Amino acid sequence: MSAGSLFAQEDAILWRAENALQWGDFRAAPPAGKKVAATTASGLSYNYSGKGVGGKYKLDFQVDAFFYPDKSWYHPDLVDSVILSHEQLHFDISELYARKFRKILSQRVFSENVREEVKELFAEINRELSLFQDRYDLETDFSRNRGAQLEWNARISRELGKDL
């Protein structure tokens, strides 16, 4: 039997389809410069236990996407509902990658090095997530390209709808 975990912060907000972020959820103090309107800190957390024989392990696991209020901030005079939807999509993208990680864990048979294998998979998912988040910001110009923002909103909504 093997077990491992990476837990979210105590005050983190668990992703739920019915719970949209509000500006009140962004509790960190914004930096003095006003070049960026808002920042969303979100990420993945997991825990698991493994059962197996003969060096082949299947996992019982939980993977969640979280928003971190104490690391997320905004400048009230620079934001609007479009920017809030942009920040929400960062959180939604984290949920998409939580689903991707769940799928990988559910389909994989692990060796006796299950702990190291899960850590490597988690690191790879986080690399992919980071690149995807960067691409989202680049293509939407941080929500300033309203047409691209609407396209991303529709795309992520479709992706989230596939697994619900």
Side-chain angles (χ1 to χ4, degrees):
M1 174 128 178
S2 181
S5 63
L6 179 67
F7 292 104
Q9 297 172 356
E10 189 173 309
D11 64 342
I13 296 172
L14 177 65
W15 188 93
R16 294 271 185 242
E18 63 276 5
N19 292 338
L21 293 175
Q22 305 296 317
W23 286 124
D25 296 324
F26 294 69
R27 296 194 302 238
K34 291 189 176 183
K35 293 181 180 180
V36 176
T39 293
T40 292
S42 63
L44 310 181
S45 174
Y46 69 88
N47 63 59
Y48 69 89
S49 63
K51 295 183 211 169
V53 292
K56 294 182 179 180
Y57 290 82
K58 288 297 277 179
L59 303 183
D60 291 321
F61 60 87
Q62 181 173 343
V63 176
D64 293 304
F66 286 96
F67 172 84
Y68 303 106
D70 292 336
K71 293 184 177 186
S72 302
W73 53 263
Y74 72 104
H75 287 287
D77 53 329
L78 297 179
V79 297
D80 59 19
S81 61
V82 173
I83 293 171
L84 182 59
S85 74
H86 177 86
E87 299 305 318
Q88 176 67 52
L89 227 64
H90 277 295
F91 190 20
D92 293 344
I93 289 168
S94 292
E95 172 60 19
L96 286 179
Y97 277 81
R99 293 175 185 190
K100 185 174 182 177
F101 192 40
R102 286 182 204 120
K103 184 175 182 179
I104 290 167
L105 293 177
S106 70
Q107 295 175 341
R108 177 105 181 239
V109 176
F110 295 87
S111 74
E112 283 123 353
N113 291 328
V114 63
R115 182 170 301 196
E116 198 56 41
E117 291 170 20
V118 171
K119 282 173 58 177
E120 288 175 16
L121 289 169
F122 185 69
E124 179 59 29
I125 283 291
N126 274 311
R127 280 190 292 276
E128 290 177 21
L129 172 57
S130 179
L131 290 171
F132 198 83
Q133 296 279 21
D134 290 346
R135 180 174 155 213
Y136 167 54
D137 277 336
L138 181 67
E139 290 185 10
T140 62
D141 192 21
F142 301 89
S143 83
R144 290 183 286 260
N145 182 332
R146 301 294 166 116
Q149 184 65 56
L150 291 173
E151 289 172 15
W152 272 87
N153 289 355
R155 175 185 177 187
I156 299 304
S157 179
R158 278 193 309 273
E159 289 297 317
L160 287 171
K162 287 180 182 178
D163 291 338
L164 296 178

